Structure formats: structure tokens, C-alpha cells
Amino acid sequence: MSYSWFNQQLLELNDQMIAWRRYLHQHPERSYHEEQTASFIAQQLDTMGIAYRSGVGGHGIVANILAGDHEWSPIVALRTDMDALEIQDEKQCEYASTIPGTMHACGHDGHMATLLAIASVLQQNRDKWRGQVRLLFQPAEEVSPGGAQQMIKDGAIDGVSSIYGVHLWTPIPYGKMAICEGPMMAAVDDFFLTINGKGGHGGMPHTCIDAVVVGAALVQQLQTVVSRHLSPLEPAVVSVGTLQAGQTQNIIADRAIMNGTLRSFSPVVREQLIERVEHITRHVCEMYGASYDLHIRRGYPALNNDPHETERMRRVAIEQFGEASLEVAEKMMPAEDFAYYGQHIPASFMLVGAGNEQEARYPHHHPMFDFDERAMILAAELLGVTALEALEQKYREVE
């Protein structure tokens, strides 16, 4: 089917979409604190005349757009994230964050603006399509346990046959897109370790249990988890992010605090990583006579793209933007709690290139992060047409 009407009206909304994005960029809110963000989204939906539920999964919003008067209406869902990061915005631009120490450094402001544009066009053209599109404005993507699980518990995907999402991605240049079926983004687990030694005089180490030495040994030994305990054919990461101990040069530290992250794709490898971290920690601490307190926080599962829905997104991308626009995504170690939706219903997630060599050259989660705003139109076309295609197929299956 032709969706030229959809694409044309999105183009007419481009300035408004940029304005939405820039307002949200100026007024970021961290994970689990998206009160004003949710209020802004609700105001826009009220103006559009779209019904919604607020307070879903925390500060989430679920909106429904129904086209046509049918006894049976299939439902497909589109999801955006809402939260910002604890980072000081260092950009010099008119829409820089006005909230000290908080900024949208990952593109979630653009994701929300994209979904609002889709909502506006679908709502105004309910005579041109049929079915129901559900829009999920999800809080707390950045911080585990994340908002997706609670959204699901609160009924956000009840009755939904499939769900789609995108990420504006600056490592990929504007005009390109990337997706793959199966595992695309890693599972994440974090570990938090306190090593308890015995402090004392720096000139009398034989009377002490040096927590710094124990911590240093653990950092070295944990590197063998991937290199010597897992198959080289299985991608995985063990990274120690912090090691803090001691206060001055002539005192043996009695305590060291070490935190890190584990990344994997296979459920089997995920359990192996956790088991080896626990095993190595126990035995290294025993070897030095130290005690320890280890907490492993299980995070998001691996994001697995459903083969059928991924093929649908691929086909739409090629039809809308040409075959040269599409790349096969490599597996990535960053995690995404969109993965939880895929554990319940068919789901697919695509990366939409948003980088350029001018203002959009910094990586995600960087104080200078920005993205090419032209990418929002591409993301909106991709998501909107994918949803409309999925609904049409559902009708064809019963007609």
C-alpha cells in the first residue's frame, strides 16, 4: 500500500517535531523522576484529542489511536523512552539543558518527539487506515530495573500483537539504518563488591590485610573470566568500572569498594559469568584472608529481534529509503530494556543513523552529545509505516 499521505504530513510537521525535541532537551528529567516530561506529553496528547492512561509503570503514558469502527481491531504498539542522564550538558546551543547535571545524552528527547509526530498524523487521518496503534511513553530506560517491566505489569501491551522501537544512533551516519534478527543488544548485570581487610601502618604491612592488594588481584583475575573460562566464540564482557580504597599514602587500607558490569547474549553464558565472578571473588579473598560482601544486580535481558517482525521493518526501510540505506547491525554490548517486551510479544528494534561530522559526532552518554535532527523524520516514517503495514496484514489474515 502507498503511505504517501503519512510521509507528506510528517514532513509538514517537521518544524513542530524539532520544537518538541528541543523543549524536551531543555527540560530533562532523570530516571524515575519524569513527572514534568509526562505532563508535557499528556498536554500534547490532549491537544491532539488522543485518549491515554497516565501513571503507567511509574510516570509512563499509554495512548491509543483507533481508526475505523470495527468489532475487532488488531493492535500494534510503538515505544519510546523518556528519561535523561546524570550528565552536565556542555553544548553551546540555544536548546542546551537548563537543568544542572542532567541532560538528554542518548536521544530519548528525539524518540519522544518522533512518537508525538506519528500520533498527530495518525489521529488526523483515521479515515486512511484501520486498526489500533498503541503508543508507549516509557520511563526509566537508563537505570535498572528499568520501566519496561512495570509497564508490562500495568497492562501496557495487553492485547498487542507486535511492538516496534527505534534508537537514534550517532555511530551510524544520517541516512543509514541497521537491524539484525535475533540477539542485537546485550544482557547486562552489575556487581557491587566490598572487600574487608585489616588496616594498619604503611610501614608494618605484615600486621595487616591490604584491601588494595586484594582489589588489584581481583581486577587481574576477573580478566580471565572471558579469556579463559568462556568459549572464544561467545561474546561477553567483564569490566571493572570503579576501585576505591584508602585515604592517604602511609596507611594500609582496610576496605576497598569495587563495582563493575557483565555483558552477554546467551542465557547460558550469562549464568557462567555470574558464577565465575562469585567463584573468583570468594577464592581470591580467602587467599589473602579478607572477607567480602558481593551483590550482583541482574539487569536487562538480551534484546532479541523477532525474525518475522524484523523482516517487516527491513522491508519497510528498503521501500521507504532504498536498499542502500540499510545495513546489518552488529551485536552491541549496550543494553536496552525494550528487550522485556520481546519476551512477551513479537518485537523488533532498529537503529536509525543520526550522526554527522559537525555537531553530531560525539558518542552517546557524552556531555557534548547531540544528534542530526533530520533523522527524526526517517525514524517516524519507519515506525509509522511499519505499524500500518502490520495492521493491514492482520486484517488480510481474517478477511
Side-chain angles (χ1 to χ4, degrees):
M1 293 184 64
S2 172
Y3 297 104
S4 57
W5 59 269
F6 181 80
N7 298 336
Q8 179 58 40
Q9 292 195 31
L10 277 177
L11 287 172
E12 295 170 5
L13 265 179
N14 189 54
D15 289 346
Q16 177 63 76
M17 183 160 50
I18 291 173
W20 282 328
R21 181 262 164 158
R22 293 187 175 186
Y23 175 87
L24 290 163
H25 196 84
Q26 288 180 297
H27 301 87
E29 293 179 298
R30 299 178 190 177
S31 307
Y32 305 102
H33 298 281
E34 307 93 341
E35 297 96 335
Q36 296 306 312
T37 302
S39 177
F40 176 81
I41 296 297
Q43 290 171 15
Q44 309 315 308
L45 295 173
D46 283 333
T47 300
M48 297 174 195
I50 296 175
Y52 62 88
R53 283 195 298 139
S54 58
V56 182
H59 299 298
I61 291 177
V62 174
N64 290 279
I65 306 174
L66 176 63
D69 184 16
H70 306 285
E71 293 183 3
W72 173 80
S73 295
I75 307 171
V76 299
L78 305 175
R79 173 268 200 175
T80 179
D81 29 26
M82 301 166 64
D83 52 333
L85 288 151
E86 189 175 349
I87 297 174
Q88 177 63 41
D89 194 349
E90 297 181 1
K91 293 191 304 301
Q92 300 298 314
C93 64
E94 63 181 13
Y95 54 87
S97 171
T98 61
I99 309 300
T102 304
M103 74 171 287
H104 276 292
C106 203
H108 297 186
D109 50 340
H111 300 165
M112 287 184 280
T114 295
L115 215 58
L116 285 173
I118 293 170
S120 179
V121 174
L122 292 180
Q123 175 71 0
Q124 293 177 41
N125 294 273
R126 297 192 303 281
D127 60 327
K128 295 184 176 67
W129 59 283
R130 51 182 178 170
Q132 186 171 174
V133 174
R134 184 171 296 173
L135 308 173
L136 275 58
F137 295 86
Q138 180 212 300
E141 186 276 328
E142 294 287 1
V143 179
S144 180
Q149 290 186 93
Q150 195 57 52
M151 291 278 285
I152 293 167
K153 289 179 183 177
D154 286 354
I157 58 172
D158 289 356
V160 173
S161 60
S162 56
I163 186 169
Y164 310 96
V166 298
H167 205 305
L168 299 171
W169 198 245
T170 58
I172 301 174
Y174 165 75
K176 298 288 186 178
M177 302 179 182
I179 195 170
C180 66
E181 67 176 58
M184 189 173 86
M185 301 182 78
V188 56
D189 301 297
D190 299 315
F191 63 88
F192 304 89
L193 172 64
T194 299
I195 300 165
N196 300 304
K198 180 182 178 183
H201 197 291
M204 303 175 64
H206 60 290
T207 66
C208 308
I209 299 173
D210 192 340
V212 172
V213 171
V214 180
L218 265 171
V219 171
Q220 292 293 323
Q221 290 301 314
L222 288 175
Q223 305 314 304
T224 68
V225 174
V226 173
S227 65
R228 290 297 179 266
H229 295 285
L230 298 180
S231 166
L233 302 179
E234 292 284 2
V237 167
V238 176
S239 289
V240 176
T242 68
L243 176 58
Q244 300 167 338
Q247 296 180 353
T248 190
Q249 82 284 354
N250 62 348
I251 298 175
I252 301 292
D254 66 343
R255 176 176 296 180
I257 297 174
M258 188 168 75
N259 303 327
T261 190
L262 314 175
R263 307 287 169 127
S264 58
F265 290 94
S266 159
V268 173
V269 170
R270 189 179 191 182
E271 297 306 317
Q272 289 175 332
L273 288 177
I274 292 171
E275 187 277 330
R276 293 308 302 174
V277 168
E278 292 173 336
H279 179 88
I280 289 172
T281 300
R282 180 170 67 254
H283 286 283
V284 168
C285 287
E286 286 178 355
M287 181 174 66
Y288 286 96
S291 62
Y292 68 94
D293 178 27
L294 174 63
H295 170 63
I296 293 181
R297 182 179 68 193
R298 290 189 176 254
Y300 308 155
L303 189 155
N304 279 280
N305 278 334
D306 176 81
H308 179 73
E309 300 307 332
T310 297
E311 178 56 30
R312 188 193 309 281
M313 289 195 87
R314 286 185 70 259
R315 187 170 63 251
V316 169
I318 291 171
E319 290 172 353
Q320 295 290 308
F321 314 113
E323 193 161 357
S325 68
L326 193 62
E327 301 174 352
V328 177
E330 296 181 354
K331 291 181 179 179
M332 300 189 308
M333 288 303 173
E336 239 289 350
D337 77 342
F338 184 86
Y340 286 115
Y341 299 111
Q343 293 183 330
H344 297 268
I345 56 176
S348 191
F349 193 80
M350 184 177 281
L351 305 175
V352 175
N356 62 44
E357 292 301 318
Q358 289 75 48
E359 73 279 359
R361 64 185 186 274
Y362 295 95
H364 293 252
H365 296 208
H366 188 282
M368 291 288 288
F369 175 82
D370 205 351
F371 64 83
D372 192 323
E373 292 177 324
R374 295 175 298 169
M376 291 191 292
I377 281 285
L378 305 188
E381 290 183 13
L382 174 69
L383 280 175
V385 174
T386 298
L388 295 172
E389 287 278 9
L391 288 171
E392 273 304 305
Q393 180 181 341
K394 289 297 180 184
Y395 280 107
R396 289 194 296 269
E397 289 173 355
V398 298
E399 288 177 344

